[in-house]
Amino acid sequence: MTASGLRALHHGRTPGDPLVLPGPWDAASARVLADAGFPALATPSAGVAASLGYEDGSTPAGEMFAAVARIARAVSVPVSADVEAGYGLPPGELVERLFAAGAAGCNLEDTVDGVLLDAGAQADRLAAVRAAAGDALFVNARIDTYVTGVPAGVDPAAETLRRARLYAAAGADCVYPILAPPEVFGPLAGALPGLPLNALAGPDGPGPRRLGELGATRITFGPGLQRRAMGALREIAAGL
C-alpha cells in the first residue's frame, strides 16, 4: 500500500474507532503484527534503537534506515518510519532515504538535542519535506511540548495548538502531541477539524478506544510493545 492508502486509513473514522498502528522493532515482530491483521505499522525509534543496541536517540542514521528497510521488506502493509528529527539531513535527501527504505510515511519531531525547535523553522522544514515528497509520503509531525517542555509562562496546550496549526499549514498529514494529557485531544480536534491526531497509548493511560472517543484518530505505542516483549523474555529466561 502506498502513502495514499495509508493516508486514507486515517480519514472517515468514527469516535472510538481510531487507527491502531503497533510498532515493530525488527522484521520478525513486523511479520507477527501484520499477520495479526493490522493494516499498517509504525516503527518506534526507541524500540529499534534497543534492538540494535543503542540508547534512544543515539542510533546512527544509516542503521535506522537499514532497520526500517528490513521491516518494510518483511510485510505487505505500509510502514511509517520514526526518523526522529531527521538526523540533520537536507529534506530532499531525507525523503530519498525514506523512499529507498520502502517507507510510506514518517514521524518527524520538533526537538533536537533536547531543545524544542522554533515552530516557524520546523514548519518550514516540514514544508520542504512535503515539497520533496509530493503526496508520496505520509508526514506525521510530532509536537514535543509535553516532552521537552515550553518556556516559563507559556501554556503548553496553547503552544501545542499553535504548532499543530503551523505544521498542518506546512503540509503535515497528521500531528502527534506525544505525551499530551488525554483531555488535550478534544479541544485540538475541535480547533482542527479533519486533521488526524496521533495519541500515544501507554500501559497506565486510556486505551485506544477511549483515546479515540476523546478525539484521537491514530494510536501508536512508542517502544511499549518492544519493552513488553523484553519483559516476557526476561520471565522466560528466569524460568530457564
Side-chain angles (χ1 to χ4, degrees), residues 102-221:
C106 71
N107 272 17
L108 284 173
E109 61 192 54
D110 58 2
T111 293
V112 173
D113 296 330
V115 177
L116 192 66
L117 297 174
D118 175 79
Q122 179 67 356
D124 289 344
R125 180 165 170 77
L126 290 168
V129 169
R130 171 59 66 215
D135 290 333
L137 187 72
F138 184 95
V139 178
N140 188 30
R142 202 176 96 171
I143 301 173
D144 285 2
T145 44
Y146 289 94
V147 177
T148 309
V150 296
V154 174
D155 176 48
E159 179 62 11
T160 297
L161 176 58
R162 184 178 79 90
R163 287 173 179 260
R165 284 182 167 137
L166 285 171
Y167 299 168
D173 295 288
C174 182
V175 294
Y176 179 18
I178 187 170
L179 294 183
E183 59 270 18
V184 166
F185 286 91
L188 268 179
L192 299 165
L195 179 67
L197 303 177
N198 189 158
L200 177 71
D204 301 321
R209 185 180 301 279
R210 180 58 182 150
L211 287 169
E213 291 170 347
L214 290 170
T217 313
R218 157 178 166 153
I219 310 298
T220 52
F221 303 88

Side-chain angles (χ1 to χ4, degrees), residues 25 224-234:
W25 54 94
L225 299 183
Q226 185 266 342
R227 290 173 181 170
R228 288 178 65 181
M230 292 303 99
L233 183 57
R234 278 191 289 273

